Amino acid sequence: MAYEKVNELNLKDTELRLGLPGTEQEVKQEKEVSCVRSNKRQFDEETLNEEESMPPTKTQIVGWPPVRSYRKNNNNNSVSYVKVSMDGAPYLRKIDLKTYKNYQELLKALENMFKFTIGEYNEREGYKRGSGFVPTYEDKDGDWMLVGDVPWDMFSSSCKRLRIMKGSDAPALDSSL
Amino acid sequence: MNYFPDEVIEHVFDSIDSHRDRNSISLVCKSWHKIERCSRRTVFIGNCYAINPERLIGRFPCLRSLTLKGKPHFADFNLVPHEWGGFVHPWIDALARARVGLEELRLKRMVVSDESLELLSRSFVNFKSLVLVSCDGFTTDGLASIAANCRHLRELDLQENEIDDHRGQWLNCFPDTCTTLTLLNFACLKGETNLAALERLVARSPNLKSLKLNRAVPLDALTRLMSCAPQLVDLGVGSYENEPDPESFVKLMAAIKKCTSLRSLSGFLEVAPRCLPAFYPICQNLISLNLSYAAEIQGNHLIKLIQLCKRLQRLWILDSIGDKGLEVVATTCKELQELRVFPSDLHGEEDYNAAVTEVGLVAISAGCPKLHSILYFCKQMTNAALITVAQNCPNFIRFRLAILEPNKPDHLTSQSLDEGFGAIVQACKGLKRLSVSGLLTDKFFLYIGMYGEKLEMLSIAFAGDTDKGMLYVLNGCKKMRKLEIRDSPFGDAALLTDVGKYKTMRSLWMSSCEVTLGGCKRLAQNAPWLNVEIINENENNRNGEDEREKVDKLYLYRTVVGTRKDAPPYVRIL
């Protein structure tokens, strides 16, 4: 901080006020977060280049935020309710992703809930031979993805909501139609 | 001069509970020392390495209740490696061999093994109460020993421990003759619970006042449990089914209505919010509500519940309550004394909207005049808000504010938060515990030194500019007992200026600071009554002698028994 120092006495130190720090122009500190000093930084070189201008996010500092590890471990997966919409249905539903162990269970539940058939998943072509509906989901980045491409665990932790699209609305996803 | 027989003096001492007062009494004269030590029933040891079991027993042979704390506080946040220490076994072993009539054992951040629990259960005939907080190292097998062998067990309180759940039948191990339970808390167990055994146990425990269930106890079981324990004062609900049928719901509601003594509610670990209305009838009696693990109770459901809890004194909640929700708390809970707002999203989601801000904090401070303890995780703060809070609530004893992003300045003015936190310390003359965050300079520390007269525990992270900061604290805070600092630019000069200060403190923790090996060595030389521990997880440089090398983690504490013998290889005691 750029205080005036007179004879090692920082005069600003003794100026105590409880009011707002009014007109002083205090330079915004570009404080280097000192986790740089520790060798606990967890992101690799690639992300370092991308994120140079951003401060490290909270997940990359050990022990911060200061939440007991028991609480951290026991609270992270407890919310898994996601909204499910189906094109043409009058209202949405909500399901708890945690109750399903794999895609098969999830898709079956969706089929039961909305009374339709999804068809077979195929890595190359998406869903074929169903009733024309394709399950998609919105991930953490806000992108709409086809359900089934990534491993189940990755899907269930990044899925924010589900949308069962009519086949004709999703030409890019389900190339069989 | 004693004009009274010893028994009379002892009788007078009996009415003095505070261990600090009893410590003072024992210093008056030899005679009082002797009477006091033989009549002391309850001993509190804040650092298990400050003394050893033999000396404890030598001084207090008649002790009944022992509280021990092991690892340093920052161990809670994964800053202390596994196996650092804090083993309870030597204590239980020594107490058993000396045939101390132990009745109560309370442990925090200690390593407990099944063998220790087994030994405990077999060694003390009158053992009544076991409280384990943030401990690890044991399994449900250890609990089975306690259940089976402690004939007069009254309390088994497991709070936030990491317990290996062997899914065994530990609840079955309580003999049919065990009817003395008053408190049973197994909320932290992860596995299935033998419901039949639990129901039988509860049914034969007429004095059971506190029951906290784990995830595995479903709705209909909860109903049955509450029906046979309408005398409950404190209930931790485990889980609910997602879609209860109307009949089950009605039964639950009827059971809850009968629990007219219920004052404290917690748990709701997995809950469908639609079941909450079953609890509405007893909300007006609640003085304590812990929904900090109830991530699924949000929005209107949460608000409706809180609006009924007009007598609440203690509230633990997730930040998904939002500022609006806190405003409801402020208008409803006029008796509120303690508030904790925990972060619900711990994975750095960029679109983190469901947090609280300074708005919620100010609302609470304005609406709750009796507030004296707060733990608040938020995404932003301003000096103006903190100053207002200080004016509204000069009675804080504990003030812990954690802004999620380190070094974050006042989000309106971009300045440091020195003035805001300074206002808190200045206004709250009774402040004993303070944790700070956000952008802070040496000036903040100056305020602490000037105004933190009663401050006993201070937690610092990513703060300060120079050694002066730490020195202000060490010089100014006469009552400081526990100081913990991470990622701050304090070095050898601050560490070494007043070595005698550490005699008056329980411990000091410094990690990712500027202290060097040389500085720590000099400290250890000048203070033989301190254990100066260096934790160095880097295997390659464990016994390096480069004195300019920065120390990763330093933990020092006063002790009367010298260097401990149970330290792992990565701990170097100077």
Side-chain angles (χ1 to χ4, degrees), chain A residues 16-17 31 34 62 68 78, chain B residues 160 296 419 447 464 487:
Chain A
L16 296 170
R17 304 171 284 169
K31 197 152 194 133
S34 53
V62 174
R68 231 180 225 174
S78 44
Chain B
E160 302 195 338
E296 289 160 26
E419 297 305 315
Y447 289 145
D487 294 276

Side-chain angles (χ1 to χ4, degrees), chain A residues 1 3 5 8 10 12-22 24-29 31-40 54-59 61-76 78-81 93 96 98-99 140 157 160, chain B residues 76-79 108 133-134 160-162 187-188 190 215 242 270 292-293 295-296 316 318 342-343 346-350 377 383-384 387 402-407 414-415 419 423 426 437 439-441 443 446-447 450-451 461-462 464-465 468 472 486-487 512-514 537:
Chain A
M1 300 298 282
Y3 290 117
K5 289 194 192 286
E8 287 306 294
N10 190 335
K12 288 256 185 290
D13 276 351
T14 52
E15 183 193 327
L16 296 170
R17 304 171 284 169
L18 283 184
L20 292 176
E24 268 184 315
Q25 286 297 315
E26 295 187 356
V27 174
K28 175 173 177 171
Q29 264 209 327
K31 197 152 194 133
E32 191 181 66
V33 175
S34 53
C35 66
V36 177
R37 242 177 282 130
S38 83
N39 52 9
K40 295 274 185 285
M54 286 175 10
T57 57
K58 42 193 181 277
T59 48
I61 303 173
V62 174
W64 193 267
V67 174
R68 231 180 225 174
S69 42
Y70 173 87
R71 185 175 286 281
K72 261 189 177 150
N73 295 337
N74 284 282
N75 225 9
N76 49 10
S78 44
V79 184
S80 287
Y81 275 110
R93 300 296 304 270
D96 179 1
K98 260 196 350 322
T99 57
K140 272 199 273 222
S157 61
K160 287 276 163 263
Chain B
D76 277 349
F77 316 133
N78 288 336
L79 287 178
K108 189 168 186 181
V133 181
S134 240
E160 302 195 338
N161 305 290
E162 296 289 354
C188 59
K190 307 267 176 50
R215 284 198 140 87
N242 281 347
E270 276 164 13
S292 63
Y293 286 101
E296 289 160 26
W316 291 23
L318 288 171
F342 292 96
L346 290 162
H347 296 282
E349 308 276 328
E350 294 306 318
F377 285 83
N383 285 306
I387 290 166
I403 303 169
L404 294 169
E405 190 188 312
N407 278 322
S414 294
Q415 288 166 342
E419 297 305 315
Q426 184 173 5
S437 53
L439 184 64
L440 292 165
T441 74
K443 192 168 186 187
L446 175 68
Y447 289 145
M450 284 181 64
Y451 299 115
F462 308 102
D465 307 309
K468 276 202 283 202
Y472 289 139
R486 62 166 292 180
D487 294 276
S512 302
C513 297
E514 302 286 324
E537 291 165 271

Side-chain angles (χ1 to χ4, degrees), chain A residues 102-112 118-119 127 135 147:
Chain A
N102 51 41
Y103 283 120
Q104 198 182 13
E105 286 184 19
L106 170 67
L107 295 176
K108 195 145 188 219
L110 290 177
E111 284 180 331
N112 284 337
I118 286 179
Y127 290 88
V147 170

Side-chain angles (χ1 to χ4, degrees), chain B residues 14-176:
Chain B
D14 272 351
S15 62
I16 297 169
D17 291 328
S18 147
H19 61 272
R20 283 188 203 182
D21 287 343
R22 291 202 73 130
N23 291 346
S24 306
I25 290 176
S26 64
L27 294 173
V28 167
C29 63
K30 269 194 183 155
S31 165
W32 279 30
H33 184 97
K34 177 163 164 266
I35 298 172
E36 198 283 316
R37 61 173 268 267
C38 291
S39 65
R40 180 91 74 120
R41 297 279 176 267
T42 305
V43 178
F44 170 88
I45 297 179
N47 174 6
C48 65
Y49 291 119
I51 184 116
N52 64 26
E54 288 72 32
R55 285 183 63 159
L56 167 73
I57 297 165
R59 172 135 179 225
F60 301 117
C62 301
L63 81 93
R64 300 265 177 278
S65 164
L66 177 62
T67 300
L68 279 171
K69 291 189 180 181
K71 301 181 198 176
H73 176 229
F74 276 0
D76 277 349
F77 316 133
N78 288 336
L79 287 178
V80 176
H82 225 4
E83 299 300 316
W84 170 85
F87 307 105
V88 77
H89 198 84
W91 294 86
I92 298 180
D93 192 53
L95 289 163
R97 276 186 285 110
R99 300 195 206 288
V100 171
L102 193 68
E103 295 180 12
E104 179 178 294
L105 186 62
R106 311 169 74 96
L107 305 177
K108 189 168 186 181
R109 279 191 290 272
M110 293 202 70
V111 178
V112 181
S113 65
D114 287 343
E115 291 70 38
S116 304
L117 291 176
E118 162 101 25
L119 182 60
L120 176 69
S121 73
R122 293 197 185 282
S123 308
F124 309 105
V125 167
N126 284 324
F127 193 74
K128 295 191 173 68
S129 169
L130 180 63
V131 181
L132 301 176
V133 181
S134 240
C135 296
D136 64 275
F138 61 106
T139 78
T140 44
D141 295 348
L143 298 180
S145 313
I146 298 288
N149 303 329
C150 299
R151 302 273 166 84
H152 301 116
L153 194 69
R154 293 205 195 138
E155 298 183 336
L156 180 58
D157 194 357
L158 307 170
Q159 298 179 28
E160 302 195 338
N161 305 290
E162 296 289 354
I163 306 175
D164 219 349
D165 196 328
H166 286 174
R167 288 164 175 76
Q169 300 299 329
W170 70 279
L171 274 172
N172 257 343
C173 295
F174 282 102
D176 289 339

Side-chain angles (χ1 to χ4, degrees), chain B residues 537-554:
Chain B
E537 291 165 271
N538 180 358
E539 275 183 14
N540 298 329
N541 206 13
R542 288 263 162 85
N543 288 312
E545 293 307 327
D546 181 0
E547 304 222 328
R548 288 159 308 173
E549 170 129 359
K550 297 240 180 80
V551 163
D552 191 27
K553 291 169 184 167
L554 162 68

Side-chain angles (χ1 to χ4, degrees), chain B residues 185 187 211-213 234-238 264-269 279 286 288-294 314:
Chain B
N185 172 10
L211 178 64
K212 291 183 178 165
L213 310 169
D234 178 13
L235 174 67
V237 173
S264 167
L265 212 50
S266 62
F268 296 94
L269 304 168
F279 286 93
L286 290 182
S288 170
L289 182 61
N290 179 357
L291 296 176
S292 63
Y293 286 101
R314 185 160 81 141

Side-chain angles (χ1 to χ4, degrees), chain B residues 334-407:
Chain B
K334 294 303 181 188
E335 302 295 313
L336 198 66
Q337 297 178 20
E338 178 189 331
L339 174 68
R340 295 196 191 188
V341 181
F342 292 96
S344 50
D345 172 20
L346 290 162
H347 296 282
E349 308 276 328
E350 294 306 318
D351 56 346
Y352 188 22
N353 291 318
V356 294
T357 70
E358 72 276 13
V359 172
L361 183 62
V362 170
I364 292 285
S365 72
C368 306
K370 299 191 182 173
L371 194 65
H372 59 62
S373 296
I374 189 159
L375 169 61
Y376 197 78
F377 285 83
C378 57
K379 61 179 183 180
Q380 63 193 38
M381 188 49 56
T382 65
N383 285 306
L386 285 172
I387 290 166
T388 305
V389 168
Q391 285 164 353
N392 291 341
C393 280
N395 296 324
F396 276 120
I397 302 174
R398 296 170 204 90
F399 189 88
R400 292 148 76 190
L401 189 75
I403 303 169
L404 294 169
E405 190 188 312
N407 278 322

